[in-house]
PDB file of all heavy atoms in Angstrom:
ATOM      1  N   GLY A  28      96.742 125.214  42.643  1.00  0.00           N
ATOM      2  CA  GLY A  28      95.818 126.235  42.198  1.00  0.00           C
ATOM      3  C   GLY A  28      94.983 126.896  43.313  1.00  0.00           C
ATOM      4  O   GLY A  28      94.128 127.720  43.010  1.00  0.00           O
ATOM      5  N   SER A  29      95.275 126.525  44.567  1.00  0.00           N
ATOM      6  CA  SER A  29      94.495 127.077  45.687  1.00  0.00           C
ATOM      7  C   SER A  29      95.188 128.316  46.249  1.00  0.00           C
ATOM      8  O   SER A  29      96.380 128.515  46.092  1.00  0.00           O
ATOM      9  CB  SER A  29      94.382 126.042  46.777  1.00  0.00           C
ATOM     10  OG  SER A  29      93.598 124.965  46.371  1.00  0.00           O
ATOM     11  N   HIS A  30      94.412 129.099  46.962  1.00  0.00           N
ATOM     12  CA  HIS A  30      94.918 130.241  47.718  1.00  0.00           C
ATOM     13  C   HIS A  30      95.412 129.742  49.079  1.00  0.00           C
ATOM     14  O   HIS A  30      94.909 128.735  49.579  1.00  0.00           O
ATOM     15  CB  HIS A  30      93.842 131.296  47.927  1.00  0.00           C
ATOM     16  CG  HIS A  30      93.324 131.864  46.663  1.00  0.00           C
ATOM     17  ND1 HIS A  30      93.937 132.868  45.980  1.00  0.00           N
ATOM     18  CD2 HIS A  30      92.196 131.578  45.950  1.00  0.00           C
ATOM     19  CE1 HIS A  30      93.252 133.156  44.878  1.00  0.00           C
ATOM     20  NE2 HIS A  30      92.164 132.401  44.836  1.00  0.00           N
ATOM     21  N   VAL A  31      96.349 130.460  49.659  1.00  0.00           N
ATOM     22  CA  VAL A  31      96.776 130.155  51.020  1.00  0.00           C
ATOM     23  C   VAL A  31      96.492 131.413  51.834  1.00  0.00           C
ATOM     24  O   VAL A  31      96.858 132.539  51.382  1.00  0.00           O
ATOM     25  CB  VAL A  31      98.232 129.693  51.105  1.00  0.00           C
ATOM     26  CG1 VAL A  31      99.202 130.770  50.682  1.00  0.00           C
ATOM     27  CG2 VAL A  31      98.580 129.201  52.498  1.00  0.00           C
ATOM     28  N   GLY A  32      95.842 131.274  52.947  1.00  0.00           N
ATOM     29  CA  GLY A  32      95.507 132.413  53.782  1.00  0.00           C
ATOM     30  C   GLY A  32      96.726 133.020  54.435  1.00  0.00           C
ATOM     31  O   GLY A  32      97.757 132.426  54.514  1.00  0.00           O
ATOM     32  N   LYS A  33      96.531 134.222  54.921  1.00  0.00           N
ATOM     33  CA  LYS A  33      97.596 134.939  55.619  1.00  0.00           C
ATOM     34  C   LYS A  33      97.741 134.321  56.999  1.00  0.00           C
ATOM     35  O   LYS A  33      96.803 134.203  57.745  1.00  0.00           O
ATOM     36  CB  LYS A  33      97.230 136.402  55.703  1.00  0.00           C
ATOM     37  CG  LYS A  33      98.313 137.264  56.375  1.00  0.00           C
ATOM     38  CD  LYS A  33      97.784 138.711  56.462  1.00  0.00           C
ATOM     39  CE  LYS A  33      98.747 139.597  57.213  1.00  0.00           C
ATOM     40  NZ  LYS A  33      98.893 139.268  58.640  1.00  0.00           N
ATOM     41  N   PRO A  34      98.992 133.936  57.342  1.00  0.00           N
ATOM     42  CA  PRO A  34      99.200 133.378  58.689  1.00  0.00           C
ATOM     43  C   PRO A  34      99.233 134.510  59.759  1.00  0.00           C
ATOM     44  O   PRO A  34      99.273 135.691  59.391  1.00  0.00           O
ATOM     45  CB  PRO A  34     100.602 132.751  58.584  1.00  0.00           C
ATOM     46  CG  PRO A  34     101.306 133.586  57.563  1.00  0.00           C
ATOM     47  CD  PRO A  34     100.212 134.007  56.577  1.00  0.00           C
ATOM     48  N   ALA A  35      99.228 134.112  60.988  1.00  0.00           N
ATOM     49  CA  ALA A  35      99.358 135.102  62.039  1.00  0.00           C
ATOM     50  C   ALA A  35     100.740 135.746  61.923  1.00  0.00           C
ATOM     51  O   ALA A  35     101.735 135.115  61.570  1.00  0.00           O
ATOM     52  CB  ALA A  35      99.257 134.425  63.390  1.00  0.00           C
ATOM     53  N   ASP A  36     100.802 137.049  62.159  1.00  0.00           N
ATOM     54  CA  ASP A  36     102.081 137.759  62.040  1.00  0.00           C
ATOM     55  C   ASP A  36     103.079 137.283  63.092  1.00  0.00           C
ATOM     56  O   ASP A  36     102.701 137.103  64.268  1.00  0.00           O
ATOM     57  CB  ASP A  36     101.883 139.276  62.208  1.00  0.00           C
ATOM     58  CG  ASP A  36     101.180 139.908  61.044  1.00  0.00           C
ATOM     59  OD1 ASP A  36     101.043 139.267  59.984  1.00  0.00           O
ATOM     60  OD2 ASP A  36     100.737 141.076  61.166  1.00  0.00           O
ATOM     61  N   PRO A  37     104.319 137.075  62.692  1.00  0.00           N
ATOM     62  CA  PRO A  37     105.327 136.740  63.668  1.00  0.00           C
ATOM     63  C   PRO A  37     105.637 137.981  64.507  1.00  0.00           C
ATOM     64  O   PRO A  37     105.359 139.100  64.106  1.00  0.00           O
ATOM     65  CB  PRO A  37     106.542 136.347  62.827  1.00  0.00           C
ATOM     66  CG  PRO A  37     106.362 137.123  61.539  1.00  0.00           C
ATOM     67  CD  PRO A  37     104.874 137.194  61.340  1.00  0.00           C
ATOM     68  N   THR A  38     106.235 137.781  65.687  1.00  0.00           N
ATOM     69  CA  THR A  38     106.619 138.918  66.481  1.00  0.00           C
ATOM     70  C   THR A  38     108.136 138.878  66.643  1.00  0.00           C
ATOM     71  O   THR A  38     108.777 137.831  66.650  1.00  0.00           O
ATOM     72  CB  THR A  38     105.968 138.876  67.897  1.00  0.00           C
ATOM     73  OG1 THR A  38     106.357 137.620  68.494  1.00  0.00           O
ATOM     74  CG2 THR A  38     104.466 138.969  67.785  1.00  0.00           C
ATOM     75  N   PHE A  39     108.699 140.083  66.660  1.00  0.00           N
ATOM     76  CA  PHE A  39     110.129 140.223  66.884  1.00  0.00           C
ATOM     77  C   PHE A  39     110.420 141.629  67.392  1.00  0.00           C
ATOM     78  O   PHE A  39     109.632 142.564  67.149  1.00  0.00           O
ATOM     79  CB  PHE A  39     110.954 139.890  65.633  1.00  0.00           C
ATOM     80  CG  PHE A  39     110.540 140.633  64.380  1.00  0.00           C
ATOM     81  CD1 PHE A  39     111.201 141.803  64.003  1.00  0.00           C
ATOM     82  CD2 PHE A  39     109.485 140.191  63.595  1.00  0.00           C
ATOM     83  CE1 PHE A  39     110.811 142.479  62.872  1.00  0.00           C
ATOM     84  CE2 PHE A  39     109.136 140.845  62.452  1.00  0.00           C
ATOM     85  CZ  PHE A  39     109.785 142.014  62.079  1.00  0.00           C
ATOM     86  N   VAL A  40     111.527 141.765  68.099  1.00  0.00           N
ATOM     87  CA  VAL A  40     111.869 143.049  68.693  1.00  0.00           C
ATOM     88  C   VAL A  40     112.411 143.990  67.609  1.00  0.00           C
ATOM     89  O   VAL A  40     113.239 143.618  66.787  1.00  0.00           O
ATOM     90  CB  VAL A  40     112.952 142.823  69.790  1.00  0.00           C
ATOM     91  CG1 VAL A  40     113.408 144.167  70.359  1.00  0.00           C
ATOM     92  CG2 VAL A  40     112.420 141.928  70.880  1.00  0.00           C
ATOM     93  N   GLY A  41     111.908 145.226  67.643  1.00  0.00           N
ATOM     94  CA  GLY A  41     112.465 146.254  66.770  1.00  0.00           C
ATOM     95  C   GLY A  41     111.945 146.259  65.347  1.00  0.00           C
ATOM     96  O   GLY A  41     112.567 146.849  64.492  1.00  0.00           O
ATOM     97  N   GLY A  42     110.849 145.608  65.117  1.00  0.00           N
ATOM     98  CA  GLY A  42     110.367 145.603  63.710  1.00  0.00           C
ATOM     99  C   GLY A  42     108.888 145.278  63.601  1.00  0.00           C
ATOM    100  O   GLY A  42     108.252 144.825  64.552  1.00  0.00           O
ATOM    101  N   VAL A  43     108.363 145.537  62.450  1.00  0.00           N
ATOM    102  CA  VAL A  43     106.953 145.262  62.153  1.00  0.00           C
ATOM    103  C   VAL A  43     106.946 144.529  60.802  1.00  0.00           C
ATOM    104  O   VAL A  43     107.606 144.924  59.852  1.00  0.00           O
ATOM    105  CB  VAL A  43     106.134 146.540  62.054  1.00  0.00           C
ATOM    106  CG1 VAL A  43     104.716 146.271  61.638  1.00  0.00           C
ATOM    107  CG2 VAL A  43     106.177 147.296  63.347  1.00  0.00           C
ATOM    108  N   LEU A  44     106.129 143.502  60.737  1.00  0.00           N
ATOM    109  CA  LEU A  44     106.026 142.757  59.469  1.00  0.00           C
ATOM    110  C   LEU A  44     105.344 143.642  58.439  1.00  0.00           C
ATOM    111  O   LEU A  44     104.260 144.169  58.669  1.00  0.00           O
ATOM    112  CB  LEU A  44     105.198 141.471  59.660  1.00  0.00           C
ATOM    113  CG  LEU A  44     105.039 140.640  58.407  1.00  0.00           C
ATOM    114  CD1 LEU A  44     106.315 139.986  58.010  1.00  0.00           C
ATOM    115  CD2 LEU A  44     103.933 139.634  58.597  1.00  0.00           C
ATOM    116  N   GLU A  45     106.010 143.815  57.276  1.00  0.00           N
ATOM    117  CA  GLU A  45     105.407 144.630  56.214  1.00  0.00           C
ATOM    118  C   GLU A  45     104.626 143.794  55.226  1.00  0.00           C
ATOM    119  O   GLU A  45     103.884 144.344  54.415  1.00  0.00           O
ATOM    120  CB  GLU A  45     106.514 145.384  55.499  1.00  0.00           C
ATOM    121  CG  GLU A  45     107.152 146.448  56.360  1.00  0.00           C
ATOM    122  CD  GLU A  45     108.216 147.258  55.608  1.00  0.00           C
ATOM    123  OE1 GLU A  45     108.302 147.151  54.360  1.00  0.00           O
ATOM    124  OE2 GLU A  45     108.970 147.986  56.274  1.00  0.00           O
ATOM    125  N   GLY A  46     104.780 142.496  55.242  1.00  0.00           N
ATOM    126  CA  GLY A  46     104.063 141.636  54.306  1.00  0.00           C
ATOM    127  C   GLY A  46     104.905 140.420  53.944  1.00  0.00           C
ATOM    128  O   GLY A  46     106.050 140.283  54.372  1.00  0.00           O
ATOM    129  N   TRP A  47     104.318 139.521  53.160  1.00  0.00           N
ATOM    130  CA  TRP A  47     104.969 138.349  52.672  1.00  0.00           C
ATOM    131  C   TRP A  47     105.286 138.540  51.171  1.00  0.00           C
ATOM    132  O   TRP A  47     104.462 139.087  50.450  1.00  0.00           O
ATOM    133  CB  TRP A  47     104.121 137.106  52.897  1.00  0.00           C
ATOM    134  CG  TRP A  47     103.924 136.806  54.354  1.00  0.00           C
ATOM    135  CD1 TRP A  47     102.813 137.036  55.098  1.00  0.00           C
ATOM    136  CD2 TRP A  47     104.869 136.298  55.279  1.00  0.00           C
ATOM    137  NE1 TRP A  47     102.978 136.664  56.393  1.00  0.00           N
ATOM    138  CE2 TRP A  47     104.286 136.228  56.536  1.00  0.00           C
ATOM    139  CE3 TRP A  47     106.194 135.885  55.171  1.00  0.00           C
ATOM    140  CZ2 TRP A  47     104.933 135.727  57.662  1.00  0.00           C
ATOM    141  CZ3 TRP A  47     106.862 135.385  56.283  1.00  0.00           C
ATOM    142  CH2 TRP A  47     106.222 135.332  57.511  1.00  0.00           C
ATOM    143  N   TYR A  48     106.459 138.086  50.783  1.00  0.00           N
ATOM    144  CA  TYR A  48     106.914 138.306  49.396  1.00  0.00           C
ATOM    145  C   TYR A  48     107.254 136.977  48.745  1.00  0.00           C
ATOM    146  O   TYR A  48     107.532 135.989  49.426  1.00  0.00           O
ATOM    147  CB  TYR A  48     108.123 139.242  49.419  1.00  0.00           C
ATOM    148  CG  TYR A  48     107.749 140.639  49.786  1.00  0.00           C
ATOM    149  CD1 TYR A  48     107.613 141.005  51.104  1.00  0.00           C
ATOM    150  CD2 TYR A  48     107.463 141.601  48.814  1.00  0.00           C
ATOM    151  CE1 TYR A  48     107.226 142.315  51.455  1.00  0.00           C
ATOM    152  CE2 TYR A  48     107.089 142.887  49.130  1.00  0.00           C
ATOM    153  CZ  TYR A  48     106.968 143.262  50.464  1.00  0.00           C
ATOM    154  OH  TYR A  48     106.586 144.503  50.805  1.00  0.00           O
ATOM    155  N   LYS A  49     107.247 136.999  47.429  1.00  0.00           N
ATOM    156  CA  LYS A  49     107.496 135.816  46.658  1.00  0.00           C
ATOM    157  C   LYS A  49     108.959 135.433  46.593  1.00  0.00           C
ATOM    158  O   LYS A  49     109.355 134.306  46.218  1.00  0.00           O
ATOM    159  CB  LYS A  49     106.981 135.989  45.200  1.00  0.00           C
ATOM    160  CG  LYS A  49     105.463 136.197  45.150  1.00  0.00           C
ATOM    161  CD  LYS A  49     105.004 136.477  43.769  1.00  0.00           C
ATOM    162  CE  LYS A  49     103.530 136.837  43.732  1.00  0.00           C
ATOM    163  NZ  LYS A  49     103.051 137.160  42.364  1.00  0.00           N
ATOM    164  N   GLU A  50     109.867 136.345  46.949  1.00  0.00           N
ATOM    165  CA  GLU A  50     111.273 136.098  46.919  1.00  0.00           C
ATOM    166  C   GLU A  50     111.963 136.759  48.099  1.00  0.00           C
ATOM    167  O   GLU A  50     111.403 137.700  48.707  1.00  0.00           O
ATOM    168  CB  GLU A  50     111.911 136.541  45.600  1.00  0.00           C
ATOM    169  CG  GLU A  50     111.860 138.049  45.360  1.00  0.00           C
ATOM    170  CD  GLU A  50     110.487 138.535  44.936  1.00  0.00           C
ATOM    171  OE1 GLU A  50     109.902 138.003  43.982  1.00  0.00           O
ATOM    172  OE2 GLU A  50     109.959 139.452  45.609  1.00  0.00           O
ATOM    173  N   ALA A  51     113.167 136.282  48.435  1.00  0.00           N
ATOM    174  CA  ALA A  51     113.899 136.812  49.604  1.00  0.00           C
ATOM    175  C   ALA A  51     114.230 138.284  49.517  1.00  0.00           C
ATOM    176  O   ALA A  51     114.365 138.950  50.532  1.00  0.00           O
ATOM    177  CB  ALA A  51     115.170 135.996  49.845  1.00  0.00           C
ATOM    178  N   GLU A  52     114.349 138.817  48.312  1.00  0.00           N
ATOM    179  CA  GLU A  52     114.661 140.231  48.118  1.00  0.00           C
ATOM    180  C   GLU A  52     113.457 141.151  48.352  1.00  0.00           C
ATOM    181  O   GLU A  52     113.609 142.367  48.288  1.00  0.00           O
ATOM    182  CB  GLU A  52     115.202 140.449  46.682  1.00  0.00           C
ATOM    183  CG  GLU A  52     116.502 139.684  46.405  1.00  0.00           C
ATOM    184  CD  GLU A  52     116.264 138.208  46.126  1.00  0.00           C
ATOM    185  OE1 GLU A  52     115.145 137.830  45.717  1.00  0.00           O
ATOM    186  OE2 GLU A  52     117.204 137.412  46.331  1.00  0.00           O
ATOM    187  N   CYS A  53     112.280 140.567  48.616  1.00  0.00           N
ATOM    188  CA  CYS A  53     111.065 141.328  48.911  1.00  0.00           C
ATOM    189  C   CYS A  53     110.717 142.322  47.812  1.00  0.00           C
ATOM    190  O   CYS A  53     110.446 143.493  48.030  1.00  0.00           O
ATOM    191  CB  CYS A  53     111.185 142.060  50.247  1.00  0.00           C
ATOM    192  SG  CYS A  53     111.456 140.915  51.621  1.00  0.00           S
ATOM    193  N   VAL A  54     110.621 141.829  46.588  1.00  0.00           N
ATOM    194  CA  VAL A  54     110.282 142.673  45.437  1.00  0.00           C
ATOM    195  C   VAL A  54     108.804 142.522  45.100  1.00  0.00           C
ATOM    196  O   VAL A  54     108.088 143.516  44.924  1.00  0.00           O
ATOM    197  CB  VAL A  54     111.131 142.274  44.194  1.00  0.00           C
ATOM    198  CG1 VAL A  54     110.696 143.063  42.964  1.00  0.00           C
ATOM    199  CG2 VAL A  54     112.612 142.516  44.504  1.00  0.00           C
ATOM    200  N   ASN A  55     108.286 141.291  44.970  1.00  0.00           N
ATOM    201  CA  ASN A  55     106.905 141.050  44.577  1.00  0.00           C
ATOM    202  C   ASN A  55     106.125 140.508  45.748  1.00  0.00           C
ATOM    203  O   ASN A  55     106.320 139.394  46.217  1.00  0.00           O
ATOM    204  CB  ASN A  55     106.891 140.013  43.440  1.00  0.00           C
ATOM    205  CG  ASN A  55     107.591 140.531  42.212  1.00  0.00           C
ATOM    206  OD1 ASN A  55     107.148 141.449  41.570  1.00  0.00           O
ATOM    207  ND2 ASN A  55     108.725 139.903  41.912  1.00  0.00           N
ATOM    208  N   ALA A  56     105.162 141.327  46.209  1.00  0.00           N
ATOM    209  CA  ALA A  56     104.344 140.926  47.383  1.00  0.00           C
ATOM    210  C   ALA A  56     103.427 139.749  47.001  1.00  0.00           C
ATOM    211  O   ALA A  56     102.947 139.659  45.866  1.00  0.00           O
ATOM    212  CB  ALA A  56     103.531 142.137  47.839  1.00  0.00           C
ATOM    213  N   TRP A  57     103.186 138.887  47.991  1.00  0.00           N
ATOM    214  CA  TRP A  57     102.223 137.806  47.812  1.00  0.00           C
ATOM    215  C   TRP A  57     100.878 138.347  48.153  1.00  0.00           C
ATOM    216  O   TRP A  57     100.622 138.898  49.202  1.00  0.00           O
ATOM    217  CB  TRP A  57     102.607 136.636  48.785  1.00  0.00           C
ATOM    218  CG  TRP A  57     101.655 135.490  48.670  1.00  0.00           C
ATOM    219  CD1 TRP A  57     100.553 135.231  49.409  1.00  0.00           C
ATOM    220  CD2 TRP A  57     101.753 134.422  47.731  1.00  0.00           C
ATOM    221  NE1 TRP A  57      99.964 134.074  49.014  1.00  0.00           N
ATOM    222  CE2 TRP A  57     100.663 133.559  47.971  1.00  0.00           C
ATOM    223  CE3 TRP A  57     102.631 134.105  46.705  1.00  0.00           C
ATOM    224  CZ2 TRP A  57     100.432 132.381  47.235  1.00  0.00           C
ATOM    225  CZ3 TRP A  57     102.423 132.940  45.959  1.00  0.00           C
ATOM    226  CH2 TRP A  57     101.333 132.114  46.247  1.00  0.00           C
ATOM    227  N   ASP A  58      99.937 138.219  47.223  1.00  0.00           N
ATOM    228  CA  ASP A  58      98.553 138.675  47.409  1.00  0.00           C
ATOM    229  C   ASP A  58      97.707 137.482  47.766  1.00  0.00           C
ATOM    230  O   ASP A  58      97.433 136.619  46.925  1.00  0.00           O
ATOM    231  CB  ASP A  58      98.053 139.324  46.113  1.00  0.00           C
ATOM    232  CG  ASP A  58      96.679 139.924  46.277  1.00  0.00           C
ATOM    233  OD1 ASP A  58      95.868 139.466  47.102  1.00  0.00           O
ATOM    234  OD2 ASP A  58      96.390 140.887  45.519  1.00  0.00           O
ATOM    235  N   VAL A  59      97.238 137.384  49.038  1.00  0.00           N
ATOM    236  CA  VAL A  59      96.497 136.223  49.486  1.00  0.00           C
ATOM    237  C   VAL A  59      95.147 136.121  48.785  1.00  0.00           C
ATOM    238  O   VAL A  59      94.564 135.033  48.717  1.00  0.00           O
ATOM    239  CB  VAL A  59      96.276 136.227  51.015  1.00  0.00           C
ATOM    240  CG1 VAL A  59      97.588 136.108  51.762  1.00  0.00           C
ATOM    241  CG2 VAL A  59      95.508 137.424  51.488  1.00  0.00           C
ATOM    242  N   GLY A  60      94.670 137.211  48.190  1.00  0.00           N
ATOM    243  CA  GLY A  60      93.393 137.169  47.501  1.00  0.00           C
ATOM    244  C   GLY A  60      93.488 136.685  46.061  1.00  0.00           C
ATOM    245  O   GLY A  60      92.488 136.196  45.519  1.00  0.00           O
ATOM    246  N   SER A  61      94.625 136.867  45.427  1.00  0.00           N
ATOM    247  CA  SER A  61      94.724 136.483  44.004  1.00  0.00           C
ATOM    248  C   SER A  61      95.837 135.484  43.681  1.00  0.00           C
ATOM    249  O   SER A  61      95.701 134.756  42.688  1.00  0.00           O
ATOM    250  CB  SER A  61      94.863 137.752  43.136  1.00  0.00           C
ATOM    251  OG  SER A  61      96.090 138.386  43.424  1.00  0.00           O
ATOM    252  N   ASP A  62      96.926 135.487  44.439  1.00  0.00           N
ATOM    253  CA  ASP A  62      98.017 134.541  44.127  1.00  0.00           C
ATOM    254  C   ASP A  62      97.611 133.107  44.514  1.00  0.00           C
ATOM    255  O   ASP A  62      97.005 132.893  45.554  1.00  0.00           O
ATOM    256  CB  ASP A  62      99.301 134.931  44.830  1.00  0.00           C
ATOM    257  CG  ASP A  62      99.944 136.125  44.201  1.00  0.00           C
ATOM    258  OD1 ASP A  62      99.837 136.303  42.969  1.00  0.00           O
ATOM    259  OD2 ASP A  62     100.579 136.915  44.932  1.00  0.00           O
ATOM    260  N   VAL A  63      97.965 132.151  43.687  1.00  0.00           N
ATOM    261  CA  VAL A  63      97.668 130.749  43.942  1.00  0.00           C
ATOM    262  C   VAL A  63      98.952 129.927  44.030  1.00  0.00           C
ATOM    263  O   VAL A  63      99.968 130.290  43.427  1.00  0.00           O
ATOM    264  CB  VAL A  63      96.708 130.130  42.899  1.00  0.00           C
ATOM    265  CG1 VAL A  63      95.348 130.819  42.931  1.00  0.00           C
ATOM    266  CG2 VAL A  63      97.320 130.182  41.498  1.00  0.00           C
ATOM    267  N   VAL A  64      98.876 128.827  44.709  1.00  0.00           N
ATOM    268  CA  VAL A  64     100.016 127.952  44.916  1.00  0.00           C
ATOM    269  C   VAL A  64     100.089 126.926  43.759  1.00  0.00           C
ATOM    270  O   VAL A  64      99.120 126.240  43.490  1.00  0.00           O
ATOM    271  CB  VAL A  64      99.919 127.238  46.288  1.00  0.00           C
ATOM    272  CG1 VAL A  64     101.062 126.242  46.503  1.00  0.00           C
ATOM    273  CG2 VAL A  64      99.834 128.253  47.415  1.00  0.00           C
ATOM    274  N   THR A  65     101.257 126.853  43.113  1.00  0.00           N
ATOM    275  CA  THR A  65     101.453 125.904  42.024  1.00  0.00           C
ATOM    276  C   THR A  65     102.711 125.058  42.213  1.00  0.00           C
ATOM    277  O   THR A  65     103.068 124.291  41.350  1.00  0.00           O
ATOM    278  CB  THR A  65     101.544 126.628  40.659  1.00  0.00           C
ATOM    279  OG1 THR A  65     102.602 127.595  40.720  1.00  0.00           O
ATOM    280  CG2 THR A  65     100.222 127.344  40.347  1.00  0.00           C
ATOM    281  N   SER A  66     103.356 125.193  43.380  1.00  0.00           N
ATOM    282  CA  SER A  66     104.530 124.398  43.711  1.00  0.00           C
ATOM    283  C   SER A  66     104.840 124.691  45.193  1.00  0.00           C
ATOM    284  O   SER A  66     104.244 125.571  45.807  1.00  0.00           O
ATOM    285  CB  SER A  66     105.741 124.803  42.832  1.00  0.00           C
ATOM    286  OG  SER A  66     106.135 126.130  43.132  1.00  0.00           O
ATOM    287  N   ASP A  67     105.793 123.923  45.738  1.00  0.00           N
ATOM    288  CA  ASP A  67     106.273 124.266  47.082  1.00  0.00           C
ATOM    289  C   ASP A  67     106.851 125.656  46.996  1.00  0.00           C
ATOM    290  O   ASP A  67     107.542 126.002  46.024  1.00  0.00           O
ATOM    291  CB  ASP A  67     107.326 123.269  47.548  1.00  0.00           C
ATOM    292  CG  ASP A  67     106.783 121.895  47.866  1.00  0.00           C
ATOM    293  OD1 ASP A  67     105.594 121.791  48.245  1.00  0.00           O
ATOM    294  OD2 ASP A  67     107.555 120.913  47.761  1.00  0.00           O
ATOM    295  N   ILE A  68     106.644 126.457  48.013  1.00  0.00           N
ATOM    296  CA  ILE A  68     107.109 127.840  47.982  1.00  0.00           C
ATOM    297  C   ILE A  68     107.444 128.301  49.395  1.00  0.00           C
ATOM    298  O   ILE A  68     106.872 127.876  50.363  1.00  0.00           O
ATOM    299  CB  ILE A  68     106.042 128.773  47.335  1.00  0.00           C
ATOM    300  CG1 ILE A  68     106.567 130.167  47.126  1.00  0.00           C
ATOM    301  CG2 ILE A  68     104.751 128.785  48.145  1.00  0.00           C
ATOM    302  CD1 ILE A  68     105.666 131.075  46.317  1.00  0.00           C
ATOM    303  N   THR A  69     108.438 129.220  49.427  1.00  0.00           N
ATOM    304  CA  THR A  69     108.751 129.885  50.700  1.00  0.00           C
ATOM    305  C   THR A  69     108.472 131.373  50.474  1.00  0.00           C
ATOM    306  O   THR A  69     109.015 131.986  49.542  1.00  0.00           O
ATOM    307  CB  THR A  69     110.229 129.681  51.070  1.00  0.00           C
ATOM    308  OG1 THR A  69     110.435 128.283  51.279  1.00  0.00           O
ATOM    309  CG2 THR A  69     110.568 130.431  52.347  1.00  0.00           C
ATOM    310  N   LEU A  70     107.626 131.924  51.332  1.00  0.00           N
ATOM    311  CA  LEU A  70     107.321 133.353  51.268  1.00  0.00           C
ATOM    312  C   LEU A  70     108.140 134.073  52.347  1.00  0.00           C
ATOM    313  O   LEU A  70     108.503 133.520  53.347  1.00  0.00           O
ATOM    314  CB  LEU A  70     105.840 133.580  51.523  1.00  0.00           C
ATOM    315  CG  LEU A  70     104.889 132.882  50.535  1.00  0.00           C
ATOM    316  CD1 LEU A  70     103.421 133.098  50.963  1.00  0.00           C
ATOM    317  CD2 LEU A  70     105.109 133.421  49.127  1.00  0.00           C
TER     318      LEU A  70
END
């Protein structure tokens, strides 16, 4: 039920991080202010 803060942005050549998403297809953005952790998750 806790929030997880935004980590430091990774760096990579030729791209910019657009955000963290709840699924690999990048459909639903993770909102660090309102989304809470209720299981192990990969963003």
